[in-house]
């Protein structure tokens, strides 16, 4: 008893310290929250986006359910704290928003679910036209179609199965404005498909709403060819596209459509391209209608490499220029009437005119996601101006991001959303910084000093924007322009203050036949813009290439960048820690030694000089660029057959590479012809890795990996680091809807019809 009585007093201070520690921690959090109280609402779209991002990154329903419960637990944990504190409210709201984000994207992905084509087919069918996108630079027209119904008939050429009767049955189907749900899966085709048709095969009077009959080769939307590459299957899922392909002539119009704004847009695009030729005309059309189809691929690539590609997408710059131009014109015109100017708040009237112009411009340009985002932001700015509030603030940007994510949560995963909001956030955060704001305030000084200060402001803004966009560009495209800040210093003022006003003037003068001089000036200004793009793109070291970046490294850099941009006290400096860790992680990730596409046809192997060599010499530009981006290589890929340590025949390549303390042997088939069985089996036994686009026999047993059709169908594209033995695959057992979709396909014709079709195709080829 004495002993316990003696020890009781000594333990009391420890217990008191233990209970005071959480209180001190919460008090410190509350002081931080109070100091940053104006910035806390800015984290609402971040919390919502965190839930959306978790759904995209985690594999399946069990993990998504865990995110929902974690968000709920976080919200309940906030309610345990004293509710009057900012910390408690912030924790509760953040947990609820994260839970809402995960549930929202999960619900949307399931709500828009539609079947996907199961296998490549050639089918003839009737369809309703939903969208027409001319691509003059590629001499193609892209059609988004809603198939109606097909009837399986034998194929005369043995190329496919789904056949629609183009006579009375087609005419009866043409009367249906929407697919008949009683018909069996539109003959086995998905409810929405996208096909490219040659410009010469395209009916000139075709418009959205029309019903057409055509024959097309269709295939399922392809998933990412390599780990970290563009996943079109995910994009197509949220667009409702279940198949893509190429249409063949003839394309027959069964019933005309109602063009609506698409017809006006197409007519305006054709008018502009007719006035300004070449890529200059394509860029001029992109400024007005958002249609970039007339821009040559070489010039589009130069715009991307020079950091000027954002000018081709109607976004904040274009909408702002249109709104400011409208407001300025309305103010000047109304100011000519003094009685009206004295009785009416002209800025409010001008803001209303600017809002209507922004909505009309968005409608005319097709209402794509970037344009809608910019229109929402412009309307919020105009509302703030009308109320006498500060217009462009981080709260405005956060409100716009929150609205977009609530309506289109899938846009978070796309580069367009990330690039646009990152750029605007970086600009506003920079110019809201007290030190920067003091430095660039207008003051009474000489003209040359004012000009130098403005130029320095542009340069600093460009550098900060490029730094903010570089991680996003490297993550999505594996490359980023290094001189974009310098190019934009000239290109943005040129576009905003010269090209777009001249183009508006030319369009206004065209009805009276006086637009030719203005169009000439537009063409000269766009020629200068293209010269800047080509010069910057061809400069040494203009592009930084990086192999596929780990998702964790990108997430850390995003968190670090947001931490720096959104806080205002010294706490913002802690954002450098995750930013630096993410950057070092991305740079330290070794480039893969071996890349294999998901179909097994194409392979790239690292060369001793740091490049990548490609298996098939005649691979297309898209395959070459995809393999180069996956390996972080900007230069062209040389043939594997010309590399040292490689022996190739017409059908087989055997390569040896030293990696780490081991010498690796890789065997790959490179043609569609069969390799003698004994030779193939012997090569497999001597190899560590075997790659083939066909199903290899069981007797083919390499020492480590057998990457044939059976394996690659399960894994998708593969990236391998030989030194560490690390294997990264596209498919990792995820259960997102586009990874395990419902599949449909037209029924196969009877065997005798397929055999007759093949014989006919062979005889046609022989002739």
């Amino acid at each position: 008893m004495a002993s316990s009585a003696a020890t009781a007093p000594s333990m009391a201070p420890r217990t008191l310290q233990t209970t005071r520690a959480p209180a001190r921690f919460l008090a410190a959090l509350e002081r931080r929250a109070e100091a940053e109280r104006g910035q806390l609402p800015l984290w609402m779209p971040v919390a919502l986006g965190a839930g959306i991002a978790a759904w995209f990154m985690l594999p399946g329903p069990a993990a998504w359910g865990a995110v929902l419960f974690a968000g709920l637990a976080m919200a309940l944990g906030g309610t345990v704290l004293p509710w009057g504190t900012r910390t408690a409210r912030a924790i509760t709201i953040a947990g609820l928003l994260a839970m809402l984000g995960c549930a929202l994207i999960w619900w949307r992905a399931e709500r828009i679910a539609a079947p996907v084509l199961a296998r490549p087919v050639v089918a003839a069918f009737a369809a309703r036209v939903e969208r027409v996108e001319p691509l003059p630079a590629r001499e193609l027209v892209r059609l988004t179609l809603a198939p109606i119904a097909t009837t399986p008939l034998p194929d005369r050429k043995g190329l496919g199965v789904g056949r629609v009767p183009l006579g009375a049955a087609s005419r009866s189907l043409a009367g249906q404005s929407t697919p008949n749900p009683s018909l069996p899966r539109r003959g086995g085709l998905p409810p929405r498909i996208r096909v490219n048709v040659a410009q010469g095969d395209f009916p000139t009077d075709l418009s959205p709403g029309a019903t057409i009959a055509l024959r097309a080769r269709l295939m399922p939307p392809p998933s990412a060819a390599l780990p970290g590459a563009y996943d079109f299957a995910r994009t197509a899922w949220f667009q409702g596209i279940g198949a893509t392909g190429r249409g063949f002539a003839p394309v027959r119009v069964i019933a005309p459509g109602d063009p609506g704004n698409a017809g006006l847009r197409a007519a305006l695009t054709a008018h502009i391209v007719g006035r300004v030729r070449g890529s200059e005309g394509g860029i001029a059309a992109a400024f007005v209608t958002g249609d970039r189809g007339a821009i040559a691929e070489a010039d589009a690539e130069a715009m991307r490499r020079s950091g000027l590609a954002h000018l081709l997408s109607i976004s904040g710059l274009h909408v702002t220029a249109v709104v400011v131009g409208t407001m300025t014109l309305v103010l000047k015109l109304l100011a000519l009437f003094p009685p009206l100017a004295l009785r009416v708040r002209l800025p409010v009237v001008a803001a209303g005119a600017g809002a209507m112009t922004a909505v009309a411009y968005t409608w005319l340009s097709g209402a794509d996601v970037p344009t809608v985002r910019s229109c929402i932001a412009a309307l919020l700015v105009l509302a703030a101006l009308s109320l006498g509030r500060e217009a462009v603030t981080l709260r405005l940007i956060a409100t716009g991001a929150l609205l977009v994510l609530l309506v289109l949560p899938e846009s978070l995963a796309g580069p367009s959303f990330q690039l646009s909001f990152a750029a605007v956030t970086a600009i506003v955060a920079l110019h809201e910084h007290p030190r920067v704001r003091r430095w660039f305030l207008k003051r009474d000084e000489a003209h040359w000093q004012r000009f130098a200060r403005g130029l320095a402001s542009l340069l600093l803004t460009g550098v900060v924007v490029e730094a903010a966009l570089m991680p996003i560009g490297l993550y999505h495209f594996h490359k980023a322009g290094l001189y974009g800040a310098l190019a934009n210093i000239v290109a943005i003022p040129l576009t905003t203050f010269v090209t777009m006003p001249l183009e508006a003037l030319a369009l206004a003068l065209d009805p009276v036949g006086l637009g030719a001089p203005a169009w000439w000036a537009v063409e000269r200004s766009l020629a200068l813009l293209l010269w800047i793009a080509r010069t910057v793109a061809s400069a040494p070291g203009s592009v930084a290439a990086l192999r596929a970046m780990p998702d964790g490294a990108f997430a850390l850099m995003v968190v670090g960048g947001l931490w720096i941009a959104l806080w205002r006290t010294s706490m913002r400096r802690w954002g450098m820690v995750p930013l630096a860790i993410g950057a070092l992680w991305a740079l330290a990730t070794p480039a893969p030694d071996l890349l294999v596409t998901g179909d097994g046809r194409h392979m790239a192997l690292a060369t001793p000089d740091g490049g990548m060599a490609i298996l098939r010499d005649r691979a297309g530009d898209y395959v070459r660029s995809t393999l180069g981006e996956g390996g972080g290589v900007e230069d062209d890929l040389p043939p594997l057959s010309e590399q040292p340590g490689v022996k190739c025949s017409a059908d087989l390549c055997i390569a040896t590479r030293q990696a780490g303390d081991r010498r690796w042997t890789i065997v790959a088939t490179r043609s569609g012809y069969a390799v003698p069985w004994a030779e193939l089996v012997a090569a497999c036994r001597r190899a560590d890795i075997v790659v083939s686009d066909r199903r290899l026999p069981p007797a083919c047993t390499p020492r480590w990996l057998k990457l044939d059709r059976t394996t690659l169908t399960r894994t998708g594209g593969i990236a391998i680091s030989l030194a560490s033995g690390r294997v990264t695959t596209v498919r990792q057992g995820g259960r997102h809807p586009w990874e395990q979709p419902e599949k449909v396909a037209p029924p196969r014709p009877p065997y005798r019809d397929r055999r007759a079709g093949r014989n006919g195709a062979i005889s046609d080829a022989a002739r």
Side-chain angles (χ1 to χ4, degrees):
M1 293 292 294
S3 174
S4 61
T7 56
S10 63
M11 291 183 64
R14 293 183 186 178
T15 305
L16 191 59
Q17 290 174 1
T18 303
T19 56
R20 285 180 176 176
R24 286 199 299 268
F25 177 72
L26 290 175
L29 283 180
E30 185 62 19
R31 287 194 298 271
R32 289 289 186 183
E34 183 63 27
E36 297 279 7
R37 62 184 181 275
Q39 307 301 111
L40 290 177
L42 304 180
W43 290 91
M44 293 176 64
V46 178
L48 184 70
I52 298 172
W55 185 87
F56 276 108
M57 296 179 67
L58 295 175
W64 306 334
V67 173
L68 296 178
F69 281 113
L72 181 60
M74 182 176 176
L76 294 176
T79 61
V80 174
L81 302 175
W83 185 246
T85 62
R86 296 184 186 275
T87 304
R89 292 197 297 269
I91 292 174
T92 301
I93 294 173
L96 292 175
L97 285 173
M99 185 174 63
L100 174 62
C102 185
L104 186 63
I105 184 61
W106 192 352
W107 169 80
R108 177 160 172 79
E110 296 294 342
R111 187 179 69 87
I112 62 175
V116 173
L117 192 64
R119 63 177 187 275
V121 299
V122 174
F125 54 94
R128 183 170 51 85
V129 179
E130 293 187 348
R131 187 169 184 178
V132 180
E133 301 174 77
L135 305 174
R138 298 167 55 187
E139 298 183 348
L140 295 172
V141 177
R142 178 172 292 163
L143 303 176
T144 302
L145 306 173
I148 299 175
T150 63
T151 302
L153 295 176
D155 183 5
R156 291 180 302 170
K157 296 185 178 180
L159 295 175
V161 292
R163 292 294 177 265
V164 64
L166 301 183
S170 292
R171 287 192 294 272
S172 66
L173 291 173
Q176 301 178 23
S177 60
T178 58
N180 187 346
S182 65
L183 294 171
R185 294 289 188 195
R186 292 153 292 272
L189 293 180
R192 179 179 293 168
I193 64 176
R194 196 176 75 182
V195 299
N196 292 335
V197 180
Q199 222 170 20
D201 303 333
F202 181 75
T204 56
D205 58 344
L206 188 62
S207 60
T211 302
I212 63 173
L214 77 161
R215 184 167 171 267
R217 187 183 188 279
L218 303 174
M219 62 184 299
S223 58
L226 297 169
Y230 174 59
D231 189 356
F232 179 70
R234 183 181 69 188
T235 303
W237 178 266
F238 286 103
Q239 294 177 354
I241 296 173
T244 61
R246 181 69 179 261
F248 307 126
V251 178
R252 296 181 51 194
V253 179
I254 300 174
D258 180 16
N261 73 319
L264 176 61
R265 182 186 180 197
L268 190 55
T269 298
H271 175 79
I272 295 171
V273 173
R275 294 295 186 274
V276 183
R277 301 293 181 181
S279 294
E280 289 85 352
I283 297 175
F287 288 166
V288 177
T289 65
D291 192 339
R292 293 174 282 178
I295 304 174
E297 180 57 32
D299 292 326
E301 179 64 18
M303 295 289 285
R304 287 191 290 267
R305 291 173 62 93
S306 60
L308 302 179
H310 65 94
L311 298 176
L312 304 179
S313 176
I314 293 181
S315 55
L317 175 66
H318 308 78
V319 175
T320 301
V322 169
V323 170
V324 170
T326 301
M327 291 182 64
T328 303
L329 181 62
V330 170
L331 280 174
K332 296 296 183 183
L333 291 176
L334 294 180
L336 297 176
F337 303 94
L340 183 64
L342 293 174
R343 292 174 174 82
V344 179
R345 291 183 59 192
L346 296 187
V348 176
V349 177
M356 290 188 291
T357 304
V359 173
Y361 187 34
T362 302
W363 173 80
L364 177 64
S365 62
D368 291 329
V369 174
T371 316
V372 172
R373 286 199 304 265
S374 303
C375 181
I376 292 173
L379 295 178
L380 291 174
V381 169
L382 293 173
L385 288 173
S386 302
L387 296 174
R389 304 289 296 272
E390 188 175 357
V392 183
T393 64
L394 286 176
R395 286 201 175 194
L396 170 72
I397 299 170
T399 303
L402 193 64
L403 292 175
V404 171
L405 291 178
L406 288 173
V407 177
L408 295 171
E410 68 274 12
S411 63
L412 177 74
S416 176
F417 177 93
Q418 297 172 14
L419 290 169
S420 59
F421 276 102
V424 178
T425 301
I427 292 172
V428 177
L430 172 68
H431 287 270
E432 281 189 354
H433 194 282
R435 196 171 298 172
V436 175
R437 179 177 290 185
R438 285 196 304 270
W439 176 255
F440 292 119
L441 277 177
K442 291 182 179 180
R443 59 197 74 189
D444 188 12
E445 57 187 357
H447 292 293
W448 69 269
Q449 291 177 316
R450 189 178 300 114
F451 175 78
R453 195 177 298 276
L455 187 62
S457 173
L458 280 175
L459 181 60
L460 178 61
T461 303
V463 170
V464 170
V465 169
E466 286 298 318
L469 300 186
M470 185 171 290
I472 301 173
L474 291 174
Y475 178 75
H476 288 283
F477 311 116
H478 312 295
K479 60 177 68 175
L482 298 181
Y483 307 143
L486 297 175
N488 277 287
I489 287 178
V490 180
I492 290 178
L494 174 66
T495 300
T496 307
F497 302 115
V498 179
T499 304
M500 293 188 68
L502 283 173
E503 191 166 0
L505 177 64
L507 290 171
L509 293 177
D510 269 349
V512 295
L514 300 177
W519 283 121
W520 178 87
V522 169
E523 185 174 1
R524 293 299 91 206
S525 67
L526 291 174
L528 176 59
L529 178 66
L530 280 175
W531 178 83
I532 295 171
R534 293 164 184 160
T535 302
V536 173
S538 60
S542 61
V543 174
L546 188 71
R547 54 270 180 196
M549 183 188 304
D551 294 340
F554 179 63
L556 284 173
M557 285 191 281
V558 170
V559 170
L562 289 171
W563 196 272
I564 293 172
L566 301 187
W567 293 133
R568 281 293 169 265
T569 64
S570 59
M571 185 171 61
R572 70 191 307 176
R573 299 171 186 170
W574 286 100
M576 291 300 299
V577 175
L579 184 63
I581 294 174
L584 292 175
W585 185 0
L587 294 174
T589 301
D593 299 298
L594 182 66
L595 295 171
V596 181
T597 59
D599 58 6
R601 285 180 51 81
H602 301 286
M603 182 189 85
L605 184 64
T607 58
D609 61 356
M612 301 289 288
I614 195 168
L615 174 65
R616 297 180 185 245
D617 304 350
R618 300 178 63 182
D621 292 339
Y622 177 76
V623 172
R624 290 178 176 273
S625 64
T626 301
L627 290 170
E629 290 170 2
V633 176
E634 177 63 22
D635 300 328
D636 193 22
L637 307 185
L640 182 62
S641 57
E642 299 177 0
Q643 300 303 307
V646 179
K647 296 179 180 179
C648 288
S649 66
D651 306 316
L652 201 68
C653 270
I654 302 176
T656 56
R657 281 290 179 270
Q658 183 71 35
D661 56 353
R662 180 176 176 181
R663 190 168 185 82
W664 298 81
T665 302
I666 300 106
V667 174
T669 60
R670 64 196 303 248
S671 76
Y673 295 98
V675 179
W677 189 88
E679 179 183 342
L680 178 62
V681 170
C684 288
R685 290 175 180 171
R686 294 192 300 267
D688 298 290
I689 303 172
V690 177
V691 179
S692 179
D693 60 343
R694 67 194 72 169
R695 185 177 291 105
L696 296 176
C700 177
T701 54
R703 289 190 286 261
W704 189 38
L705 283 179
K706 179 180 176 180
L707 304 178
D708 63 348
R709 180 187 298 176
T710 303
T711 303
L712 292 172
T713 300
R714 185 176 66 254
T715 64
I718 287 182
I720 301 174
S721 296
L722 297 177
S724 62
R726 187 170 182 266
V727 179
T728 306
T729 62
V730 169
R731 298 190 183 97
Q732 299 181 357
R735 297 181 60 187
H736 292 91
W738 60 88
E739 295 176 303
Q740 296 183 348
E742 177 190 356
K743 296 183 179 181
V744 295
R748 297 183 184 274
Y751 174 75
R752 61 177 181 275
D753 294 327
R754 296 201 304 269
R755 184 176 179 183
R758 284 195 297 268
N759 292 337
I762 292 171
S763 62
D764 290 343
R767 286 195 296 270

